[in-house]
Amino acid sequence: MSDYSLSYSFNTTTPPREEPLYALDECEELALPQGQVVLLNKHNGAQLTVTRDVSIALQFCSDFRSLEDHARHLVAKMPELGGNVADVTRVLASIRDAGLMCSADAICAPLEAQSQSSELAPSRVFILTCDRPQAVERLLHSMNDHSDLTQHEGLYLIDNSREPHNADQNRQLLADLSSRLAIETNYVGRDEQESLLQQLEAAVPESRDSLRFLLDSQQWRSQPSYGLSRNWCLLLSAGKRCLMLDDDILCEGHKAPLASAGLAFSEGAREAAFFSDTQLQEQLASPVQDPLVQHLGALGGTIQGAASALANRSIMGSDLTGYSIASARRLAANSRVLSTESSTLGDHGSANNFWMLQLEGDSLQRLAQSGDSALGSRKGWVGCSRPTFAPRPVISQLTGLDNSALLPPYFPAFRGEDILFGWMLSYLHPHSVALQLDCSVPHLPLEERDTALSPRPPGGPLGLLTRYLEQTSKTAGGDIQTRLLKLSLSFQALAEVEPEALIAAYRSLSAAALGDIISILSEQLQAVGSQAGSLGERLEAARTEAFQGLQALTPPQALENDSERQELRRWAQGFAGALQHWPRIRGAAQSLLTNHDH
């Protein structure tokens, strides 16, 4: 899994207030002489002339809050407002009355039009592993004890073990337990993958290069290939719903330790709590649900159908507290839940502990109270205290995907594959949502993991690539085939960028990522204030390290060396071609599966 620390702005959602919620609607800005600005609402045509200072202040009003909460937020951000909440509230009311603000209730009203979901696709379950037979055995026993596997069409073990004895052990484990699991089991190791690859090549010979790029482990021997394993999951579940499990979890669903009622919307923020060894064991001893059932209850259905299943009610305006207008405007009656994610109990799964320093709200206060015992540990809980909708998936050790829709492939190698996939999914399906479940699965790695607090741009090279695509790719339009072609062309354009421009883009993106880190850490220092203690020292040290990294920013050798730069171009071109061939490859896989089933 990848490190996605910038998206981990973990915070506790403020309990919904009774006042109506508003956000500044999406507006065009037209500059006028003498410091005047015309704001033109893109959705209803309303317009208003304001001063430049007002237009700048309104940029802080893009999330849904009550008018009074907007005013409090503005006076905290802008000392020049003199702390006058009442006056700022009156100005915001006049802007609302001019038609430039959108109410949360107006967003929710159209969602009622399609509360019932159509029939959902059947599901298949996948375990992803690499050289960890002990973890596989533990997970399989956990699935046998806690999951009703009869609800799924099949269980697949996707094994990319590099050591032959580990692969042999995994194969035997699955064979020994298959009769007890009450489900058809399928071992998909390297030999099986090669056999399937050859069958796909025979079915779509024109796609051979793309097949090898996406699925051939020999092409990525020296690189972590998390995305390659996930691509096998996508092809072996084409037309169905797909549940992907990391091998080092337990298939147990535990109630969130900070559980709260209702629903929420978030840009990817989650909450966190920290445990001692004894407290973690107490959490693991809590009553267990079947986590796979929790995913299937909403995966593939409409957003309103999911709300009915999870909370027995419709989505309300108060659920959108803190949600951005840009994400809210993408919601529609036919918005589907194309991905689901579990919360995590135990090890958080990030590359190191730096994400802890970016916590907010109650989570940050819990970290301050826990002090060094939390900062030097990886034991706790990360997730959502109630079911939470988000514009795209973030990171999870148990992920559900509705693969009856045309989903993109994963980039086959490097860390950050889940970040890039999430962005591509939302690009191809702009009205879709991800659902972050309050059901937590234990993540208990067998090996020791890093507890360092060193700041780093999130997601490695694919994290930076996602930032690049966000900045350079035009808004998705047309049907999904058109959007997929645009996505392919974005990667092809990247392959054709001149070396100097590529180095400049790297510097700009890395500087922006480090700048975000510095800003967040500065806000954290202000938030913890006098309670900072050792946490304050860690925050200050991380901020200093980020400053030093920003000042000493140099491109990686891969961008300076011509032969390695050509390799980067080859990868971009390879993925561009794979995106164009993906529907054909997916269709061929679906035909093979159908013939196999019959």
Side-chain angles (χ1 to χ4, degrees):
M1 304 298 290
S2 64
D3 181 12
Y4 196 20
S5 42
L6 283 186
S7 283
Y8 274 22
S9 53
F10 301 83
N11 61 351
T12 301
T13 305
T14 303
R17 303 180 63 140
E18 294 300 323
E19 305 96 87
L21 305 182
Y22 297 93
L24 181 72
D25 216 340
E26 296 176 313
C27 293
E28 294 280 0
E29 285 194 10
L30 307 174
L32 295 177
Q34 300 179 337
Q36 300 289 299
V37 176
V38 175
L39 299 177
L40 178 63
N41 190 319
K42 295 179 181 180
H43 297 279
N44 63 15
Q47 66 181 63
L48 184 68
T49 301
V50 299
T51 64
R52 169 57 62 186
D53 289 346
V54 170
S55 72
I56 292 173
L58 289 175
Q59 294 175 10
F60 294 105
C61 298
S62 59
D63 298 338
F64 282 99
R65 299 184 178 94
S66 68
L67 292 185
E68 184 177 337
D69 283 346
H70 274 302
R72 294 184 187 281
H73 182 65
L74 284 175
V75 299
K77 286 282 187 182
M78 305 178 71
E80 60 269 31
L81 295 176
N84 197 328
V85 172
D87 282 353
V88 174
T89 302
R90 281 191 290 272
V91 171
L92 291 173
S94 67
I95 292 170
R96 174 202 61 193
D97 295 342
L100 295 185
M101 300 193 86
C102 175
S103 73
D105 291 338
I107 294 292
C108 294
L111 304 183
E112 294 278 6
Q114 188 175 339
S115 60
Q116 297 300 317
S117 302
S118 57
E119 184 176 351
L120 301 177
S123 59
R124 293 186 171 183
V125 181
F126 297 83
I127 298 172
L128 289 75
T129 190
C130 180
D131 290 311
R132 292 195 289 210
Q134 186 178 352
V136 170
E137 182 176 17
R138 184 181 65 179
L139 175 54
L140 287 172
H141 282 291
S142 174
M143 296 179 79
N144 184 59
D145 293 341
H146 301 297
S147 292
D148 179 7
L149 295 176
T150 62
Q151 297 196 34
H152 313 282
E153 281 192 351
L155 170 65
Y156 295 75
L157 179 60
I158 309 297
D159 188 359
N160 272 324
S161 294
R162 291 174 166 82
E163 297 297 332
H165 67 276
N166 287 330
D168 292 342
Q169 192 173 345
N170 285 333
R171 184 196 301 272
Q172 191 61 49
L173 281 169
L174 190 63
D176 291 345
L177 285 169
S178 60
S179 61
R180 296 169 52 189
L181 291 172
I183 188 175
E184 178 186 345
T185 59
N186 301 269
Y187 177 80
V188 187
R190 299 214 169 185
D191 290 345
E192 290 78 9
Q193 292 173 24
E194 179 59 32
S195 175
L196 287 167
L197 256 175
Q198 292 178 15
Q199 293 178 61
L200 289 169
E201 287 174 336
V204 281
E206 68 277 17
S207 301
R208 183 187 185 282
D209 289 345
S210 293
L211 281 163
R212 290 289 165 181
F213 182 87
L214 292 172
L215 299 163
D216 186 359
S217 58
Q218 294 301 309
Q219 293 207 16
W220 306 100
R221 277 180 290 184
S222 62
Q223 304 293 345
S225 53
Y226 308 105
L228 186 146
S229 297
R230 295 177 187 275
N231 285 335
W232 278 116
C233 297
L234 290 176
L235 289 183
L236 292 170
S237 64
K240 305 178 187 297
R241 291 183 295 169
C242 167
L243 297 174
M244 297 186 294
L245 290 74
D246 288 1
D247 60 3
D248 53 0
I249 68 169
L250 301 182
C251 195
E252 303 175 359
H254 294 264
K255 190 176 181 63
L258 303 176
S260 58
L263 303 168
F265 284 75
S266 166
E267 301 297 320
R270 296 185 181 181
E271 302 159 64
F274 310 96
F275 302 135
S276 65
D277 288 342
T278 301
Q279 290 170 328
L280 178 57
Q281 291 307 313
E282 290 172 352
Q283 293 293 327
L284 292 172
S286 65
V288 173
Q289 316 164 37
D290 181 350
L292 307 183
V293 169
Q294 299 297 312
H295 282 257
L296 293 185
L299 181 60
T302 64
I303 187 172
Q304 197 64 272
S308 298
L310 294 165
N312 198 30
R313 65 167 173 81
S314 298
I315 295 170
M316 303 186 301
S318 59
D319 297 331
L320 270 65
T321 302
Y323 205 48
S324 74
I325 185 64
S327 296
R329 277 294 185 186
R330 293 166 52 177
L331 299 175
N334 62 351
S335 290
R336 288 170 57 192
V337 179
L338 293 188
S339 63
T340 49
E341 302 174 297
S342 290
S343 297
T344 300
L345 184 61
D347 185 281
H348 49 72
S350 293
N352 66 13
N353 279 1
F354 174 67
W355 64 271
M356 293 183 185
L357 299 183
Q358 301 177 82
L359 295 170
E360 297 179 0
D362 291 345
S363 295
L364 181 62
Q365 297 306 317
R366 283 190 288 271
L367 179 62
Q369 293 165 8
S370 300
D372 286 341
S373 62
L375 290 167
S377 170
R378 294 178 65 103
K379 298 181 180 68
W381 170 82
V382 176
C384 299
S385 59
R386 51 185 152 178
T388 300
F389 296 102
R392 67 179 74 166
V394 183
I395 180 174
S396 174
Q397 289 81 31
L398 170 50
T399 300
L401 295 173
D402 180 15
N403 201 19
S404 67
L406 176 57
L407 305 182
Y410 284 85
F411 197 91
F414 308 113
R415 287 192 174 273
E417 82 290 345
D418 40 10
I419 299 174
L420 179 58
F421 176 84
W423 180 83
M424 292 190 296
L425 187 155
S426 65
Y427 184 89
L428 293 179
H429 298 277
H431 300 298
S432 69
V433 294
L435 174 61
Q436 299 165 351
L437 295 164
D438 55 343
C439 176
S440 307
V441 295
H443 179 224
L444 307 172
L446 299 175
E447 72 280 3
E448 291 294 322
R449 297 200 172 183
D450 190 5
T451 58
L453 297 168
S454 299
R456 63 182 67 178
L462 295 185
L464 288 178
L465 174 59
T466 304
R467 275 184 173 245
Y468 175 83
L469 292 170
E470 287 175 332
Q471 293 179 8
T472 58
S473 299
K474 295 181 179 179
T475 304
D479 60 17
I480 189 169
Q481 298 293 342
T482 300
R483 292 194 290 272
L484 188 61
L485 177 59
K486 290 180 179 178
L487 199 54
S488 171
L489 292 175
S490 294
F491 279 92
Q492 185 59 44
L494 176 62
E496 297 170 1
V497 172
E498 293 296 325
E500 295 78 10
L502 196 60
I503 291 172
Y506 172 85
R507 286 191 175 122
S508 175
L509 293 167
S510 298
L514 287 169
D516 287 345
I517 288 172
I518 291 166
S519 296
I520 291 170
L521 295 177
S522 297
E523 291 177 1
Q524 303 301 72
L525 280 164
Q526 185 175 359
V528 297
S530 59
Q531 302 180 28
S534 61
L535 175 59
E537 296 174 4
R538 302 296 186 92
L539 288 166
E540 188 61 63
R543 185 172 66 168
T544 299
E545 187 175 346
F547 265 121
Q548 293 171 345
L550 184 60
Q551 293 165 355
L553 194 61
T554 57
Q557 185 179 359
L559 294 183
E560 299 282 10
N561 183 286
D562 185 64
S563 62
E564 294 191 42
R565 197 162 53 233
Q566 290 303 317
E567 186 78 345
L568 294 176
R569 291 182 186 276
R570 185 184 70 81
W571 291 339
Q573 288 174 332
F575 199 56
L579 287 167
Q580 289 197 38
H581 285 264
W582 182 243
R584 194 175 302 128
I585 292 171
R586 188 175 180 275
Q590 199 164 357
S591 296
L592 286 176
L593 290 174
T594 302
N595 293 335
H596 176 268
D597 293 340
H598 292 319

